[in-house]
Amino acid sequence: MFANQLIMAKQIVFALTILITLGVFTFTILRLISWFRFTKANFPIRDFGKRFMVMMDVAIGQTKIFRRPVIGFFHALVFWGFCVIIFGSIEMIIDGLFGVERSLKVLGGLHNVIMASGDVFALVVAVSIIIFMVRRLFMHIGRFEGIEMKKKSHQDANIALTMILLLMLTLMGMNAAYVQLQLSAGETIHGIYPVGSLLAPLFAGLSLSGVHIAHEIFWWAHILLIFIFANVLPYSKHFHVFLSVPNTFLTRLEPLGKLTNMDDITREVKLMLDPNATFETPAADAPISRFGVKDVEDVSWKNYFDSLTCTECGRCSSVCPANTTGKLLSPRKIFMDLRARMKEKGPGMVKLGKDFNDNKSLLRDYISEEELWACTTCNACAQECPVNINHPTLILDMRRYLVMEESSAPTGLKTMFSNIENNGAPWQYSSEDRLLWTENLEMKVY
Ligand code: SF4
Ligand code: SF4
């Protein structure tokens, strides 16, 4: 009777905990979504088959991560471990809500496989996380540094790693206590727990109720950590745990380096070439759009999605020729700045509309012209990014704003622009004089 009341009390507390977790999580996600509506449209989402293959290759297969084979291997183990362990977490939620134990045992042999791999992966992930922590704290890896990597970025990474480690330790503790509990009570062990069985003797000295309490403590510690972790993620670089898979699915499929034409400019050029060309005329009251990107309301939704997905791993900056030769540009910073700027301006836009002005902008208050013009558009950053973020699209759109709205460009480029305007060529002489250099040559010019 008392045991039944205890189970029911646990169910009620658990249901309330889930409600709070979901409530906070929904609030955070809706807040982020509300900022998306200020961004611009981007490429249409087609080619689902191709997108699926990219996602399987880059996100599930972790192929880009393996370009740094040793540390990439450990990262891939953590990712695959999460994919397996999540089934155990689902089982815990069902157990907690319905007051049962190991509910997925109905799956029979499959349950054994899921539990065994989750149990082993808990140890593998814990070891990998310890390796990551040692690298971060003691090895001073170059790509973890940079002007954009403030104290908060490092704290953020360390907190997330600590939480993952605690998650794995509590999972191992829970499995070990469960194995010992079933052995002490003479009950069947549902599932296979290779690591749990090895650790179970640690609880052998406890009475039956002692093991039961230990199991309950680990169970609650693990599930509460999951709930807290899920709500901390959207505020940290570890949001990529949720977003990296969809972001790879939403990859820009055009070849790297292919520029997207601006519709307004395309129309003007086509009209110059063919005055009879017809186009859909924009409505008279349509707002005049800005050329390029000055602030967060000018970026595409994909740019913003990229910024939320960025893991701050620094792989992009470590291959950037501008960054590695000491220029101010760091492609990682561009996306960290976009995320920070949206966080700053988003609430104001939600309250006062898209025209909200706080006399700041992404350009200059966050990203300088010097950074933008340092980019060689080589696309090494986009090629290397393990979650398929495309940096040059944003950098080029910010340059477009500078050139087309402010006529601001480095002197060398300005000279070239006026030469093109005056001479129809980037050089400082008329196109009619282009072949003067051939005059004294003994060759036939066609
Ligand atoms: S495209 Fe620009 S930002 Fe990216 S690696 Fe090349 S120079 Fe750096
Ligand atoms: S943009 Fe990509 S490569 Fe660069 S730090 Fe972010 S996740 Fe890493």
Side-chain angles (χ1 to χ4, degrees), residues 309-317 332 384-387 389 391:
T309 313
C310 176
T311 72
E312 297 176 18
C313 67
R315 283 173 166 80
C316 52
S317 298
R332 168 175 55 191
E384 201 62 19
C385 178
V387 289
I389 288 172
H391 317 67

Side-chain angles (χ1 to χ4, degrees), residues 40 262 264 288-295 297-298 401 405:
K40 286 190 170 162
M262 300 169 80
D264 292 343
I288 300 165
S289 60
R290 183 183 274 160
F291 290 126
V293 167
K294 180 187 181 192
D295 208 352
E297 64 273 20
D298 306 319
Y401 170 80
E405 296 270 352

